[in-house]
Coordinates of all heavy atoms in Angstrom, one line a residue:
M92 N 54.7 60.1 123.5 CA 55.8 59.6 122.7 C 56.4 60.8 121.9 O 55.6 61.4 121.2 CB 55.3 58.5 121.7 CG 56.2 58.0 120.7 SD 55.5 56.7 119.8 CE 56.0 57.2 118.2
N93 N 57.6 61.0 121.9 CA 58.3 62.1 121.2 C 58.8 61.5 119.9 O 59.5 60.5 119.9 CB 59.4 62.8 122.0 CG 58.8 63.6 123.1 OD1 57.7 64.1 123.0 ND2 59.6 63.9 124.1
T94 N 58.6 62.2 118.8 CA 59.2 61.8 117.5 C 60.3 62.8 117.2 O 60.2 64.0 117.4 CB 58.1 62.0 116.4 OG1 57.0 61.1 116.8 CG2 58.7 61.6 115.1
T95 N 61.4 62.3 116.7 CA 62.5 63.1 116.3 C 62.1 63.9 115.1 O 61.6 63.4 114.2 CB 63.7 62.2 116.0 OG1 64.1 61.5 117.1 CG2 64.9 63.1 115.5
Q96 N 62.4 65.2 115.2 CA 62.1 66.1 114.1 C 63.4 66.7 113.6 O 64.3 67.0 114.3 CB 61.2 67.2 114.5 CG 59.8 66.8 114.8 CD 58.8 67.9 115.0 OE1 59.2 69.1 115.2 NE2 57.5 67.7 114.9
I97 N 63.5 66.7 112.2 CA 64.7 67.2 111.6 C 64.4 68.4 110.7 O 63.6 68.1 109.8 CB 65.5 66.1 110.9 CG1 65.8 65.0 111.8 CG2 66.8 66.7 110.2 CD1 66.5 63.8 111.1
A98 N 64.8 69.6 110.9 CA 64.6 70.7 110.1 C 65.7 70.9 109.1 O 66.9 70.7 109.5 CB 64.4 72.0 110.9
V99 N 65.4 71.1 107.8 CA 66.4 71.2 106.8 C 66.3 72.5 106.0 O 65.2 72.9 105.6 CB 66.2 70.0 105.8 CG1 67.2 70.1 104.7 CG2 66.4 68.7 106.5
D100 N 67.4 73.2 105.9 CA 67.5 74.4 105.1 C 68.3 73.9 103.8 O 69.5 73.7 103.9 CB 68.2 75.5 105.8 CG 68.3 76.8 105.0 OD1 67.6 76.9 104.0 OD2 69.1 77.7 105.4
L101 N 67.6 73.8 102.7 CA 68.2 73.4 101.4 C 69.0 74.5 100.8 O 68.6 75.7 100.9 CB 67.1 72.9 100.5 CG 66.3 71.7 101.0 CD1 65.1 71.5 100.1 CD2 67.1 70.5 101.1
A102 N 70.1 74.1 100.1 CA 70.9 75.1 99.4 C 71.5 74.3 98.2 O 71.3 73.1 98.0 CB 72.0 75.6 100.3
K103 N 72.3 75.0 97.4 CA 73.0 74.4 96.2 C 74.0 73.4 96.6 O 74.2 72.3 96.1 CB 73.5 75.4 95.3 CG 72.5 76.2 94.6 CD 73.1 77.1 93.6 CE 72.0 77.8 92.8 NZ 72.5 78.7 91.8
S104 N 74.9 73.7 97.6 CA 76.0 72.8 97.9 C 76.1 72.5 99.4 O 76.7 71.4 99.7 CB 77.3 73.5 97.4 OG 77.5 74.7 98.1
V105 N 75.6 73.3 100.3 CA 75.7 73.0 101.7 C 74.3 73.1 102.4 O 73.7 74.1 102.2 CB 76.7 73.9 102.4 CG1 76.8 73.6 103.9 CG2 78.1 73.8 101.9
F106 N 73.9 72.0 103.1 CA 72.6 72.0 103.7 C 72.8 72.2 105.2 O 73.7 71.6 105.8 CB 71.9 70.7 103.5 CG 71.8 70.3 102.0 CD1 72.6 69.4 101.4 CD2 70.8 70.9 101.3 CE1 72.5 69.1 100.1 CE2 70.6 70.6 99.9 CZ 71.5 69.7 99.3
Q107 N 71.9 72.9 105.8 CA 71.9 73.1 107.3 C 70.8 72.2 107.9 O 69.7 72.2 107.4 CB 71.6 74.6 107.6 CG 71.6 74.9 109.1 CD 73.0 74.9 109.7 OE1 74.0 75.3 109.0 NE2 73.2 74.5 110.9
V108 N 71.2 71.3 108.8 CA 70.3 70.4 109.4 C 70.3 70.6 110.9 O 71.3 70.6 111.6 CB 70.7 68.9 109.1 CG1 69.9 67.9 109.7 CG2 70.8 68.7 107.6
S109 N 69.1 70.6 111.5 CA 68.9 70.7 113.0 C 68.0 69.6 113.4 O 66.9 69.4 112.9 CB 68.2 72.1 113.3 OG 69.1 73.1 112.9
V110 N 68.5 68.9 114.5 CA 67.7 67.7 115.0 C 67.2 68.1 116.4 O 67.9 68.6 117.2 CB 68.7 66.5 115.1 CG1 67.9 65.3 115.7 CG2 69.3 66.2 113.8
S111 N 65.9 67.8 116.5 CA 65.2 68.1 117.8 C 64.4 66.8 118.3 O 63.7 66.2 117.5 CB 64.2 69.2 117.6 OG 63.4 69.4 118.7
V112 N 64.5 66.5 119.5 CA 63.7 65.4 120.1 C 62.6 65.8 121.0 O 61.8 65.1 121.4 CB 64.6 64.3 120.8 CG1 65.5 63.6 119.8 CG2 65.4 65.0 121.9
A113 N 62.6 67.1 121.3 CA 61.6 67.7 122.2 C 61.3 69.1 121.6 O 62.2 69.8 121.1 CB 62.0 67.9 123.6
P114 N 60.0 69.5 121.6 CA 59.7 70.8 121.0 C 60.5 72.0 121.6 O 60.7 72.1 122.8 CB 58.2 71.0 121.4 CG 57.7 69.6 121.6 CD 58.9 68.8 122.1
G115 N 61.1 72.7 120.7 CA 61.9 73.9 121.1 C 63.3 73.6 121.6 O 64.0 74.5 122.0
R116 N 63.7 72.3 121.5 CA 65.1 71.9 122.0 C 65.9 71.3 120.9 O 65.6 70.2 120.4 CB 64.9 70.9 123.1 CG 64.1 71.4 124.3 CD 64.9 71.3 125.5 NE 64.0 71.7 126.7 CZ 64.2 72.7 127.5 NH1 65.3 73.4 127.3 NH2 63.4 72.9 128.4
V117 N 66.8 72.0 120.4 CA 67.7 71.5 119.3 C 68.8 70.7 120.0 O 69.6 71.2 120.8 CB 68.3 72.7 118.5 CG1 69.3 72.1 117.5 CG2 67.2 73.4 117.8
R118 N 68.9 69.4 119.6 CA 69.9 68.5 120.1 C 71.2 68.6 119.4 O 72.3 68.5 120.0 CB 69.4 67.1 120.1 CG 70.3 66.1 120.7 CD 69.8 64.7 120.7 NE 69.8 64.2 119.4 CZ 69.2 63.1 119.0 NH1 68.6 62.3 119.9 NH2 69.2 62.7 117.8
E119 N 71.1 68.8 118.1 CA 72.4 68.8 117.3 C 72.1 69.6 116.0 O 71.0 69.7 115.5 CB 72.9 67.4 116.9 CG 71.9 66.5 116.3 CD 72.4 65.1 116.1 OE1 73.1 64.8 115.1 OE2 72.0 64.3 117.0
Q120 N 73.2 70.2 115.5 CA 73.1 71.0 114.2 C 74.3 70.5 113.4 O 75.4 70.2 113.9 CB 73.2 72.5 114.5 CG 72.0 73.0 115.1 CD 72.0 74.5 115.2 OE1 73.1 75.1 115.4 NE2 70.9 75.2 115.1
H121 N 74.0 70.5 112.0 CA 75.1 70.1 111.1 C 75.0 70.9 109.9 O 74.0 71.3 109.4 CB 74.9 68.6 110.7 CG 74.8 67.7 111.8 ND1 76.0 67.1 112.4 CD2 73.8 67.1 112.4 CE1 75.6 66.3 113.4 NE2 74.3 66.3 113.4
R122 N 76.2 71.2 109.3 CA 76.3 71.8 107.9 C 76.9 70.7 107.1 O 78.0 70.2 107.3 CB 77.3 73.0 107.9 CG 76.7 74.2 108.6 CD 77.7 75.4 108.6 NE 78.3 75.7 107.3 CZ 77.7 76.5 106.4 NH1 76.6 77.1 106.7 NH2 78.3 76.7 105.3
L123 N 76.1 70.2 106.1 CA 76.4 69.0 105.3 C 76.5 69.3 103.9 O 75.7 70.0 103.3 CB 75.4 67.9 105.6 CG 75.1 67.5 107.0 CD1 73.9 66.6 107.1 CD2 76.3 66.9 107.6
S124 N 77.5 68.7 103.2 CA 77.6 68.7 101.8 C 76.5 67.8 101.2 O 75.9 67.0 102.0 CB 79.0 68.2 101.3 OG 79.1 66.8 101.7
R125 N 76.3 67.8 99.9 CA 75.3 67.0 99.3 C 75.5 65.5 99.6 O 74.6 64.8 100.0 CB 75.2 67.1 97.8 CG 74.6 68.4 97.3 CD 74.6 68.4 95.8 NE 73.9 69.6 95.4 CZ 72.6 69.6 95.1 NH1 71.9 68.5 95.2 NH2 72.0 70.7 94.7
R126 N 76.8 65.1 99.5 CA 77.1 63.6 99.8 C 76.8 63.3 101.2 O 76.3 62.3 101.5 CB 78.5 63.4 99.4 CG 78.9 61.9 99.7 CD 80.3 61.6 99.2 NE 80.2 61.6 97.7 CZ 81.3 61.4 96.9 NH1 82.4 61.2 97.5 NH2 81.1 61.4 95.6
R127 N 77.3 64.1 102.1 CA 77.1 63.9 103.6 C 75.7 64.0 104.0 O 75.2 63.3 104.9 CB 78.0 64.8 104.4 CG 79.5 64.4 104.2 CD 80.4 65.3 105.0 NE 80.1 65.2 106.4 CZ 80.2 66.3 107.3 NH1 80.7 67.4 106.8 NH2 79.9 66.1 108.5
F128 N 74.9 64.9 103.3 CA 73.5 65.0 103.6 C 72.7 63.7 103.3 O 72.0 63.2 104.2 CB 72.9 66.1 102.7 CG 71.4 66.3 102.8 CD1 70.9 67.1 103.9 CD2 70.5 65.9 101.9 CE1 69.6 67.3 104.1 CE2 69.2 66.1 102.0 CZ 68.7 66.8 103.1
Q129 N 73.0 63.1 102.2 CA 72.3 61.8 101.9 C 72.8 60.7 102.8 O 72.0 59.9 103.3 CB 72.5 61.4 100.4 CG 71.6 60.3 100.0 CD 71.6 60.3 98.5 OE1 72.3 60.9 97.8 NE2 70.6 59.5 98.0
S130 N 74.0 60.7 103.1 CA 74.6 59.7 104.0 C 74.0 59.8 105.4 O 73.7 58.9 106.1 CB 76.1 59.8 104.1 OG 76.6 58.9 105.0
F131 N 73.9 61.1 105.9 CA 73.3 61.4 107.2 C 71.9 60.7 107.3 O 71.6 60.1 108.3 CB 73.2 62.9 107.4 CG 72.5 63.3 108.7 CD1 73.1 63.3 109.9 CD2 71.1 63.7 108.6 CE1 72.5 63.7 111.0 CE2 70.5 64.0 109.8 CZ 71.1 64.1 111.0
F132 N 71.1 60.9 106.3 CA 69.7 60.4 106.4 C 69.7 58.9 106.2 O 68.8 58.2 106.7 CB 68.8 61.1 105.4 CG 68.3 62.4 106.0 CD1 68.9 63.6 105.6 CD2 67.3 62.5 106.9 CE1 68.6 64.8 106.1 CE2 66.9 63.7 107.5 CZ 67.6 64.9 107.0
Q133 N 70.6 58.3 105.5 CA 70.6 56.9 105.3 C 70.9 56.2 106.6 O 70.5 55.1 106.9 CB 71.7 56.5 104.3 CG 71.3 56.8 102.9 CD 72.5 56.5 101.9 OE1 73.6 56.5 102.3 NE2 72.1 56.4 100.6
H134 N 71.7 56.8 107.5 CA 72.1 56.2 108.8 C 71.3 56.7 110.0 O 71.5 56.2 111.1 CB 73.6 56.5 109.0 CG 74.5 55.8 108.0 ND1 75.0 56.5 106.9 CD2 74.9 54.6 107.8 CE1 75.7 55.7 106.1 NE2 75.6 54.5 106.7
H135 N 70.4 57.6 109.7 CA 69.6 58.2 110.8 C 68.2 57.4 110.9 O 67.7 57.1 109.9 CB 69.3 59.6 110.6 CG 68.8 60.3 111.8 ND1 67.5 60.2 112.3 CD2 69.5 61.2 112.7 CE1 67.4 61.0 113.4 NE2 68.6 61.5 113.6
P136 N 67.8 57.0 112.1 CA 66.5 56.3 112.2 C 65.4 57.2 111.6 O 65.5 58.4 111.6 CB 66.3 56.1 113.7 CG 67.6 56.5 114.4 CD 68.4 57.3 113.4
P137 N 64.3 56.6 111.2 CA 63.2 57.3 110.6 C 62.7 58.5 111.5 O 62.6 58.3 112.7 CB 62.0 56.3 110.5 CG 62.8 55.0 110.4 CD 64.0 55.1 111.2
A138 N 62.5 59.6 110.9 CA 62.2 60.8 111.6 C 61.2 61.7 110.8 O 60.9 61.4 109.6 CB 63.4 61.7 111.9
H139 N 60.6 62.7 111.4 CA 59.7 63.6 110.7 C 60.6 64.8 110.2 O 61.3 65.5 111.0 CB 58.7 64.2 111.7 CG 57.7 65.1 111.0 ND1 56.9 65.9 111.8 CD2 57.3 65.2 109.8 CE1 56.2 66.6 110.9 NE2 56.4 66.2 109.7
V140 N 60.7 64.9 108.9 CA 61.6 65.9 108.3 C 60.8 67.1 107.8 O 59.9 66.9 107.1 CB 62.4 65.3 107.1 CG1 63.4 66.3 106.5 CG2 63.2 64.1 107.6
L141 N 61.2 68.3 108.2 CA 60.6 69.5 107.8 C 61.6 70.3 106.9 O 62.7 70.5 107.3 CB 60.3 70.4 109.1 CG 59.5 69.7 110.2 CD1 59.6 70.5 111.5 CD2 58.1 69.5 109.8
M142 N 61.1 70.6 105.7 CA 62.0 71.4 104.9 C 61.2 72.5 104.2 O 60.0 72.4 104.0 CB 62.7 70.5 103.9 CG 61.8 69.8 102.8 SD 62.8 68.9 101.6 CE 63.4 67.5 102.6
E143 N 62.0 73.5 103.8 CA 61.4 74.7 103.1 C 60.9 74.2 101.7 O 61.3 73.2 101.2 CB 62.4 75.7 102.9 CG 63.6 75.3 102.1 CD 64.7 76.3 101.9 OE1 64.3 77.5 101.7 OE2 65.8 76.0 102.0
A144 N 59.9 75.0 101.2 CA 59.4 74.8 99.8 C 60.3 75.5 98.9 O 60.4 76.7 98.9 CB 58.0 75.3 99.7
C145 N 61.0 74.8 98.0 CA 61.8 75.4 97.0 C 61.9 74.4 95.8 O 61.4 73.3 95.9 CB 63.2 75.7 97.5 SG 64.2 74.3 97.9
G146 N 62.7 74.7 94.8 CA 62.7 73.9 93.6 C 63.2 72.5 93.8 O 62.8 71.6 93.2
S147 N 64.1 72.3 94.8 CA 64.7 71.0 95.0 C 64.0 70.2 96.1 O 64.3 69.0 96.3 CB 66.2 71.0 95.3 OG 66.4 71.7 96.5
A148 N 63.0 70.8 96.8 CA 62.4 70.2 97.9 C 61.7 68.9 97.5 O 61.7 67.9 98.2 CB 61.4 71.1 98.6
H149 N 61.0 68.9 96.4 CA 60.3 67.6 95.9 C 61.3 66.5 95.7 O 61.0 65.4 96.1 CB 59.5 67.9 94.7 CG 58.3 68.8 94.9 ND1 57.2 68.3 95.6 CD2 58.1 70.1 94.6 CE1 56.3 69.3 95.7 NE2 56.8 70.4 95.1
H150 N 62.4 66.8 95.1 CA 63.4 65.8 94.8 C 63.9 65.2 96.1 O 63.9 64.0 96.3 CB 64.6 66.4 94.0 CG 65.8 65.5 94.0 ND1 65.9 64.4 93.3 CD2 67.0 65.6 94.8 CE1 67.1 63.8 93.5 NE2 67.7 64.5 94.4
W151 N 64.3 66.1 97.1 CA 64.9 65.6 98.3 C 63.8 64.9 99.2 O 64.1 63.9 99.9 CB 65.6 66.7 99.1 CG 66.9 67.1 98.5 CD1 67.2 68.2 97.8 CD2 68.0 66.2 98.4 NE1 68.5 68.2 97.3 CE2 69.0 67.0 97.6 CE3 68.3 64.9 98.8 CZ2 70.3 66.5 97.4 CZ3 69.6 64.4 98.5 CH2 70.5 65.2 97.8
G152 N 62.6 65.4 99.1 CA 61.5 64.8 99.8 C 61.3 63.3 99.4 O 61.1 62.4 100.2
R153 N 61.3 63.1 98.1 CA 61.1 61.7 97.6 C 62.3 60.9 98.0 O 62.1 59.7 98.4 CB 61.0 61.7 96.0 CG 59.7 62.3 95.5 CD 59.5 62.1 94.0 NE 60.6 62.7 93.2 CZ 60.5 64.0 92.8 NH1 59.4 64.7 93.1 NH2 61.4 64.5 92.1
Q154 N 63.5 61.4 98.0 CA 64.7 60.6 98.4 C 64.6 60.2 99.8 O 64.9 59.1 100.2 CB 66.0 61.5 98.2 CG 66.3 61.8 96.7 CD 66.7 60.6 95.9 OE1 67.4 59.7 96.4 NE2 66.1 60.4 94.7
L155 N 64.2 61.2 100.7 CA 64.1 60.9 102.1 C 63.0 60.0 102.5 O 63.1 59.1 103.3 CB 64.0 62.2 102.9 CG 65.2 63.2 102.8 CD1 65.0 64.4 103.6 CD2 66.5 62.5 103.2
Q156 N 61.8 60.1 101.7 CA 60.7 59.1 102.0 C 61.1 57.7 101.6 O 60.7 56.8 102.3 CB 59.5 59.6 101.2 CG 58.8 60.8 101.8 CD 57.6 61.3 100.9 OE1 57.6 61.1 99.7 NE2 56.7 61.9 101.6
S157 N 61.9 57.6 100.6 CA 62.4 56.2 100.2 C 63.2 55.6 101.2 O 63.4 54.4 101.3 CB 63.1 56.3 98.8 OG 64.4 56.9 98.9
L158 N 63.8 56.4 102.1 CA 64.6 55.9 103.2 C 63.8 55.7 104.5 O 64.4 55.4 105.5 CB 65.8 56.9 103.5 CG 66.8 57.1 102.4 CD1 67.7 58.3 102.7 CD2 67.5 55.8 102.1
G159 N 62.5 56.0 104.4 CA 61.6 55.7 105.6 C 61.3 56.9 106.4 O 60.6 56.8 107.5
H160 N 61.7 58.1 106.0 CA 61.4 59.3 106.8 C 60.0 59.9 106.3 O 59.6 59.7 105.2 CB 62.5 60.4 106.5 CG 63.8 59.9 107.0 ND1 64.2 59.9 108.3 CD2 64.9 59.4 106.3 CE1 65.4 59.4 108.4 NE2 65.9 59.1 107.2
Q161 N 59.4 60.6 107.2 CA 58.1 61.3 106.9 C 58.5 62.7 106.6 O 59.2 63.4 107.4 CB 57.2 61.2 108.1 CG 55.9 62.0 107.8 CD 55.0 62.0 109.1 OE1 55.3 61.5 110.1 NE2 54.0 62.8 109.0
V162 N 58.1 63.2 105.4 CA 58.5 64.6 105.0 C 57.3 65.5 104.9 O 56.3 65.1 104.4 CB 59.3 64.5 103.6 CG1 59.7 65.9 103.1 CG2 60.4 63.5 103.7
S163 N 57.5 66.7 105.4 CA 56.5 67.7 105.2 C 57.1 69.1 105.0 O 58.3 69.3 105.2 CB 55.5 67.8 106.4 OG 56.1 67.8 107.6

């Protein structure tokens, strides 16, 4: 069973998001504003989200977990 993984590069205003359904294979990439970032995850099925450790990572981690995503 493959789980969708989403890698996130956090920034102040534009986030880089990469979606992978198989190890080493990026299916799609997005540059998202804060508003579009939250909307993207609200409409995306639950996934394993990987994000860098930074000041806002805890905030976004809690937000994404409340939407059903697993965050690490």
Side-chain angles (χ1 to χ4, degrees):
M92 178 177 135
N93 287 339
T94 301
T95 300
Q96 292 189 344
I97 302 173
V99 177
D100 182 14
L101 299 170
K103 288 185 178 183
S104 59
V105 178
F106 303 102
Q107 183 73 30
V108 176
S109 298
V110 180
S111 172
V112 292
R116 305 235 186 240
V117 175
R118 182 178 71 190
E119 55 189 274
Q120 291 185 326
H121 305 277
R122 288 179 52 88
L123 305 171
S124 65
R125 285 181 176 269
R126 179 176 289 180
R127 290 183 56 214
F128 178 77
Q129 193 160 12
S130 177
F131 173 83
F132 281 100
Q133 286 174 340
H134 296 98
H135 198 281
H139 184 201
V140 180
L141 308 164
M142 68 176 69
E143 63 182 317
C145 71
S147 65
H149 290 287
H150 166 76
W151 287 113
R153 288 189 299 272
Q154 295 292 317
L155 298 180
Q156 285 177 334
S157 72
L158 297 173
H160 300 282
Q161 178 187 356
V162 179
S163 49

